[in-house]
Amino acid sequence: MNLLPILEFPDPRLRTVAREIDPAELDEGFRAHVAAMFETMYAAPGIGLAASQVDDHRRFMVIDVSETHDERRVFVNPRILSREGEQVCQEGCLSVPTIQADVTRSEKIVVAALDEFGTAFELTADGLLAVCIQHEMDHLLGKLFIDYLSPLKRDLIKRKLAKRQRSAA
Ligand code: K1U
Ligand code: ZN
């Protein structure tokens, strides 16, 4: 298995804004990297992974919210076309291990993107899939779910993770 290292908060590389991908870049090498990202996400385990989290600052992400690991979705250059409603969901993040917090997101979104072969698609998503798409798109803008929390809570999380990283070293 080709597992990729996942960057952890407060690594400054997580704050990089990803660059748009030229469809000409969507070659076999790109698809091999996508496969490695799915393996890394399933092993973590997680339901989404943005390229930024594996120190790749191109604008794409992978998602599979199924329990059976058979609903792989790849989003290259994703854009949200429309939003409806609000939902509050408890989120986690592979780059902010052991922390969970409630975040308010749009309930229903329509997203446009390319798949890993360069084919354009539009998807209407709600529930967990909509939450996950919004969470991963934030990563591509250098934003983390803990940025929605108060500075006090964020500071507590920073200390908790620093302690965890010290005891792991
Ligand atoms: O971006 C990431 O770090 C992945 C993250 C995605 C996410 C989860 C929950 C709400 C919004 C976005 C995760 O996958 S955290 C792990 C997780 O939620 C999970 C793991 C195994 C089974 C089910 C969920
Ligand atoms: Zn995350």
Side-chain angles (χ1 to χ4, degrees):
M1 247 197 298
N2 180 16
L3 298 186
L4 306 168
I6 297 178
L7 300 179
E8 290 190 6
F9 175 78
D11 192 310
R13 290 172 290 181
L14 285 168
R15 299 306 188 177
T16 310
V17 177
R19 68 160 179 86
E20 290 276 310
I21 301 182
D22 182 330
E25 295 175 60
L26 304 177
D27 57 10
E28 288 306 320
F30 177 81
R31 286 186 282 277
H33 188 53
V34 164
M37 280 181 56
F38 273 114
E39 292 313 313
T40 303
M41 181 192 84
Y42 291 135
I47 54 172
L49 191 64
S52 326
Q53 293 177 275
V54 292
D55 203 20
D56 178 346
H57 301 288
R58 293 176 291 177
R59 191 170 166 75
F60 75 99
M61 63 212 202
V62 301
I63 291 180
D64 184 348
V65 297
S66 75
E67 286 179 7
T68 41
H69 293 182
D70 58 359
E71 289 175 23
R72 292 179 182 218
R73 299 177 199 271
V74 180
F75 299 79
V76 173
N77 298 338
R79 284 180 300 129
I80 292 182
L81 301 180
S82 64
R83 302 173 177 270
E84 259 178 53
E86 277 193 352
Q87 59 178 324
V88 179
C89 181
Q90 191 174 67
E91 298 193 13
C93 181
L94 302 177
S95 296
V96 192
T98 74
I99 306 296
Q100 294 194 319
D102 283 348
V103 179
T104 303
R105 305 275 190 189
S106 301
E107 163 58 25
K108 190 172 176 181
I109 56 174
V110 179
V111 60
L114 303 180
D115 68 13
E116 68 271 44
F117 298 97
T119 304
F121 67 94
E122 277 185 29
L123 174 75
T124 301
D126 59 11
L128 182 60
L129 179 58
V131 169
C132 195
I133 291 170
Q134 292 169 81
H135 176 111
E136 303 311 333
M137 286 183 71
D138 271 355
H139 275 301
L140 300 176
L141 294 171
K143 188 162 184 168
L144 301 173
F145 79 114
I146 54 172
D147 298 345
Y148 294 100
L149 308 179
S150 69
L152 183 67
K153 276 193 188 157
R154 214 166 39 244
D155 200 49
L156 280 173
I157 290 168
K158 204 170 180 172
R159 284 181 216 205
K160 184 178 168 186
L161 292 182
K163 196 170 165 188
R164 185 179 179 270
Q165 282 160 10
R166 276 198 304 277
S167 43

